[in-house]
Amino acid sequence: MRKDVFLIIGLIFLVACNQSVDQEVSNQPQKVVKKQNEETTNEENISLEKQFIPPNFTINQLAMDVQENELAFQFDFTLSQHLYDLLHQYEDYYFVIEYPKAFHEYTGIYLSEPIKGPIPTNENLSYQVSIRTTWNMKLPASLMDHLTREDASYNLLILDREYMPVHAVKDVQWYHYGNKNKG
């Protein structure tokens, strides 16, 4: 009888030890997987959506030049420290000009080529970007005049690293006039 009791106690002990070892082994991979998922989530959580709005992003000066075979935009902008830090981590973002309907109908060009935004460095908060679009045919003078008028609508699109729009500055050619009196 004593042998049976020791045998039963021994079996219970072995089963209990085996279950605790299984629990420890099964918990370890879940912790590693959970930790990997948290790191991936942190990388994916960096989003540029709703970041390129004043006061985080301000266009200080914009110059536009319409020629017969070329349309050029050059703009100076300033980042807030918050957006600077975000872009420093994020790295790739792009600027695109969405052209007015009249320009698109005549040239077939709806958007400029994406221009990679400058990666913030050395605590510099002010940058300059140039966007140029060229084509083979000459624009008529009337269309060139139309493209410089107030009713021409140029939109500045800001794209994330997957080229998805995260912000649009409507009528960017007049944007700096609206912010002229803001300090």
Side-chain angles (χ1 to χ4, degrees):
M1 177 93 164
R2 275 187 164 181
K3 284 185 177 181
D4 291 337
V5 171
F6 283 119
L7 185 61
I8 292 174
I9 291 174
L11 286 173
I12 292 173
F13 180 73
L14 283 175
V15 169
C17 287
N18 191 25
Q19 285 179 346
S20 68
V21 168
D22 284 344
Q23 286 177 350
E24 285 180 25
V25 170
S26 66
N27 283 341
Q28 286 177 356
Q30 288 174 350
K31 287 179 183 175
V32 171
V33 169
K34 187 175 181 180
K35 193 172 190 176
Q36 287 174 345
N37 286 341
E38 286 173 3
E39 290 173 6
T40 304
T41 303
N42 287 340
E43 289 175 11
E44 291 173 358
N45 281 342
I46 297 176
S47 172
L48 297 182
E49 201 162 336
K50 298 183 182 177
Q51 296 299 322
F52 282 87
I53 55 175
N56 287 341
F57 176 77
T58 306
I59 297 174
N60 304 318
Q61 186 173 6
L62 186 132
M64 182 177 77
D65 185 33
V66 179
Q67 300 294 321
E68 291 178 338
N69 298 84
E70 180 182 65
L71 205 152
F73 277 87
Q74 181 175 314
F75 61 96
D76 300 338
F77 63 93
T78 302
L79 306 172
S80 68
Q81 187 63 47
H82 168 75
L83 187 54
Y84 172 95
D85 294 339
L86 185 68
L87 291 174
H88 194 69
Q89 293 174 348
Y90 195 84
E91 294 184 353
D92 291 339
Y93 67 103
Y94 300 87
F95 293 106
V96 172
I97 296 292
E98 179 181 25
Y99 293 116
K101 183 178 179 181
F103 178 80
H104 168 65
E105 288 173 349
Y106 189 80
T107 63
I109 301 170
Y110 182 67
L111 299 170
S112 70
E113 290 293 320
I115 301 297
K116 187 173 181 179
I119 303 301
T121 56
N122 301 325
E123 299 300 318
N124 187 11
L125 299 177
S126 296
Y127 297 91
Q128 185 176 75
V129 170
S130 295
I131 300 175
R132 296 187 179 285
T133 301
T134 58
W135 53 92
N136 293 329
M137 63 188 89
K138 290 185 177 186
L139 290 180
S142 62
L143 182 55
M144 288 174 53
D145 181 51
H146 173 73
L147 293 174
T148 58
R149 290 195 329 240
E150 283 187 37
D151 60 346
S153 180
Y154 297 88
N155 299 321
L156 174 65
L157 305 178
I158 300 157
L159 313 177
D160 65 11
R161 61 180 154 226
E162 286 87 28
Y163 295 96
M164 297 301 296
V166 293
H167 189 70
V169 178
K170 301 286 185 183
D171 298 322
V172 70
Q173 76 276 19
W174 307 116
Y175 180 80
H176 64 283
Y177 293 120
N179 292 319
K180 214 175 200 182
N181 297 326
K182 293 184 181 178

